[in-house]
């Protein structure tokens, strides 16, 4: 489960309206009839219009300054293994969204009128998307780029020949282009992967837009708080503050596993990713202690995440762990950016 929480910005400034972000989330509905569209939903209502989302979020910004985020975006991306566990993709993702938003409010160290925050104290809207496109930062696009550069150069040469500016053999250049297209390392459905291409397979994920202010438009609730739990004196009173990110991420996983009966592999867990970054020794010790079938799946998952694969013939488990560590460290930054839970 890959989850990110982001304060929405336009350039270097925080958006003063949710309109642009909501419009972005409506992109998959373009050209579809009403029955085929994906609608926004919240904890209790379905088929909420984009106009209502913008109006509701934009009106709920009382006393927030221009340099403060008005809303946060939560993106929830189940892995292909998790998506396979769903019986009814659309309804199950709605059910899961409503479950993790309870985990979200439970992660705040805040009270409203002396009571812990509940799901009814926040204002959020969610939308399911079925597609993803390759970005320029994706490994596949970056590693195909040298081929793309050569292809572009050859196409420019063809245009120059056809316009009469230079002489040359167009057919030979076209053959060279075909070879480059075929030899590019990353292909999908027989075509070179390029930026903007739709990703194959089930790409279902959830976008959630949640107001910075509570539903009464009086209390500020920031999941970007640097505090997990603390108290500060405001207007002569002690006020609780903070958001426990670890609590949210860990419980979001537990909610999925409990709701859908999912058996989570160690390397899929948020705890494992933290171990990998903070204490690699514990990570590899835990990895090597997994039962054989779970260890095999763990290595498969690691490879799919874009991290370099392991040497085939390790001499000892200690040497294996060391070789894994060295390889993973070199590929970790890109892999973790594309697949880790973050805030």
């Amino acid at each position: 489960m890959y989850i990110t929480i982001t304060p929405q910005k336009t350039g270097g400034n925080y958006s003063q309206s949710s309109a642009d972000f909501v419009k972005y989330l409506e992109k998959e509905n373009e050209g579809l009839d009403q029955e085929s569209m994906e609608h926004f939903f919240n904890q209790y209502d379905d088929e909420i219009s984009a106009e209502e989302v913008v109006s509701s979020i934009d009106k709920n910004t009382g006393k927030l300054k221009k340099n403060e985020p008005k809303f946060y975006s939560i993106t929830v991306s189940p892995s292909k293994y998790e998506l396979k566990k769903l019986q009814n993709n659309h309804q199950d993702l709605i059910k899961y969204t409503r479950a993790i938003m309870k985990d979200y409010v439970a992660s705040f160290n805040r009270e409203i009128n002396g009571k812990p925050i509940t799901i009814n104290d926040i204002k959020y809207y969610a939308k399911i998307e079925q597609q993803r496109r390759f970005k320029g930062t994706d490994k596949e696009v970056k590693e195909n780029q040298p081929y793309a550069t050569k292809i572009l150069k050859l196409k420019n040469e063809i245009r120059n020949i056809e316009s009469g500016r230079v002489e040359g053999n167009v057919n030979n250049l076209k053959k060279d282009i075909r070879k480059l297209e075929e030899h590019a390392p990353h292909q999908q459905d027989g075509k070179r992967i390029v930026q903007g291409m739709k990703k194959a397979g089930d790409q279902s994920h959830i976008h959630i837009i949640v107001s910075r202010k509570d539903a009464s438009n009086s209390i500020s609730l920031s999941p970007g708080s640097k505090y997990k739990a603390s108290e500060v004196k405001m207007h002569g009173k002690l006020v609780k503050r903070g958001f426990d990110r670890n609590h949210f991420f860990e419980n979001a996983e537990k909610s999925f596993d409990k709701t859908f009966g999912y058996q989570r592999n160690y390397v899929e867990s948020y705890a494992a990713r933290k171990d990998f970054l903070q204490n690699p020794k514990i990570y590899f010790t835990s990895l090597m202690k997994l039962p054989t079938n779970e260890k095999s799946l763990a290595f498969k998952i690691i490879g799919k995440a874009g991290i370099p694969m392991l040497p085939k013939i390790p001499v000892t488990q200690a040497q294996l762990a060391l070789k894994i560590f060295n390889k993973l460290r070199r590929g970790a930054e890109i892999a973790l950016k594309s697949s880790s839970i973050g805030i």
Side-chain angles (χ1 to χ4, degrees):
M1 186 66 61
Y2 310 141
I3 303 177
T4 59
I5 306 179
T6 310
Q8 286 300 305
K9 285 188 175 184
T10 301
N13 302 311
Y14 288 111
S15 304
Q16 300 306 303
S17 171
S18 61
D20 286 345
F21 182 58
V22 171
K23 182 180 179 181
Y24 166 77
L25 296 182
E26 282 283 275
K27 62 185 181 298
E28 286 190 11
N29 282 337
E30 293 178 5
L32 299 179
D33 56 47
Q34 189 69 19
E35 291 184 358
S36 302
M37 290 182 178
E38 284 284 357
H39 298 283
F40 286 93
F41 62 92
N42 58 20
Q43 199 67 18
Y44 304 109
D45 299 316
D46 300 318
E47 297 192 11
I48 300 171
S49 70
E51 292 76 17
E52 182 179 341
V53 173
V54 173
S55 175
S56 181
I57 294 293
D58 287 1
K59 288 178 180 177
N60 206 61
T61 58
K63 295 183 179 180
L64 289 177
K65 299 175 183 177
K66 286 187 175 182
N67 61 350
E68 292 180 305
K70 308 301 183 291
F71 59 93
Y72 286 83
S73 164
I74 304 175
T75 304
V76 182
S77 303
S79 70
K80 71 173 187 178
Y81 303 101
E82 291 165 327
L83 288 172
K84 284 181 180 179
K85 191 66 177 178
L86 305 182
Q87 299 297 316
N88 183 325
N89 185 293
H90 186 270
Q91 290 303 319
D92 284 348
L93 289 177
I94 291 177
K95 181 180 181 180
Y96 179 57
T97 301
R98 289 169 173 164
I100 66 168
M101 291 313 287
K102 291 182 178 179
D103 296 327
Y104 175 79
V105 297
S107 301
F108 280 101
N109 182 50
R110 294 295 303 272
E111 292 181 348
I112 296 178
N113 298 325
K115 297 180 180 180
I117 297 172
T118 71
I119 193 65
N120 296 322
D121 292 318
I122 66 168
K123 189 180 288 290
Y124 85 86
Y125 299 92
K127 194 169 188 288
I128 297 169
E129 286 197 332
Q130 308 294 344
Q131 300 173 359
R132 284 190 184 279
R133 294 180 181 273
F134 285 100
K135 299 178 181 178
T137 53
D138 285 337
K139 171 188 173 183
E140 294 87 348
V141 175
K142 292 175 72 174
E143 292 186 359
N144 275 355
Q145 187 55 46
Y147 293 81
T149 301
K150 291 177 182 178
I151 289 170
L152 179 61
K153 183 178 179 182
L154 290 173
K155 286 182 176 180
N156 286 333
E157 288 183 30
I158 289 174
R159 280 193 289 269
N160 287 333
I161 293 170
E162 290 177 338
S163 66
R165 287 192 290 269
V166 297
E167 293 184 356
N169 190 312
V170 170
N171 289 333
N172 287 342
L173 294 176
K174 288 183 176 180
K175 287 181 183 178
D176 291 340
I177 290 175
R178 284 196 294 271
K179 288 180 181 178
L180 288 168
E181 293 282 6
E182 293 171 0
H183 293 159
H186 300 286
Q187 305 277 332
Q188 180 175 278
D189 298 328
K191 294 183 179 180
R192 172 175 57 94
I193 291 176
V194 298
Q195 184 174 343
M197 179 185 287
K198 290 181 181 179
K199 294 185 177 182
D202 191 347
Q203 300 293 332
S204 300
H205 58 287
I206 309 157
H207 285 289
I208 305 167
I209 179 170
V210 56
S211 176
R212 166 74 177 267
K213 300 299 290 285
D214 77 315
S216 71
N217 201 16
S218 58
I219 305 296
S220 178
L221 300 173
S222 172
S225 172
K226 62 181 178 180
Y227 303 101
K228 284 186 179 180
S230 65
E231 292 185 344
V232 62
K233 185 171 284 189
M234 295 179 65
H235 308 297
K237 295 182 180 180
L238 281 178
V239 177
K240 291 182 177 181
R241 65 178 177 179
F243 180 79
D244 192 333
R245 306 169 193 178
N246 290 332
H247 181 276
F248 175 49
F249 296 148
E250 289 167 357
N251 281 283
E253 284 187 353
K254 290 177 182 177
S255 289
F256 186 93
D257 299 348
K258 181 179 179 181
T259 302
F260 305 111
Y262 185 70
Q263 299 297 314
R264 186 171 302 278
N265 189 282
Y266 169 71
V267 296
E268 293 179 277
S269 69
Y270 174 62
R273 293 188 185 94
K274 282 203 304 178
D275 286 343
F276 175 75
L277 290 175
Q278 299 172 8
N279 198 328
K281 184 177 180 180
I282 292 178
Y283 177 87
F284 292 115
T285 299
S286 300
L287 181 62
M288 297 311 300
K289 286 183 177 180
L290 292 175
T292 301
N293 60 332
E294 291 185 34
K295 191 188 302 180
S296 176
L297 177 59
F299 289 161
K300 184 177 180 181
I301 292 170
I302 289 171
K304 291 292 184 181
I307 299 173
M309 293 304 289
L310 316 176
K312 291 183 179 179
I313 312 176
V315 178
T316 67
Q317 286 195 354
Q319 287 182 353
L320 170 62
L322 178 61
K323 289 179 180 180
I324 295 173
F325 175 74
N326 289 334
K327 280 183 169 287
L328 288 178
R329 271 307 196 199
R330 289 195 289 269
E333 184 177 354
I334 294 175
L336 288 172
K337 279 182 180 178
S338 65
S339 64
S340 67
I341 295 177
I343 186 167

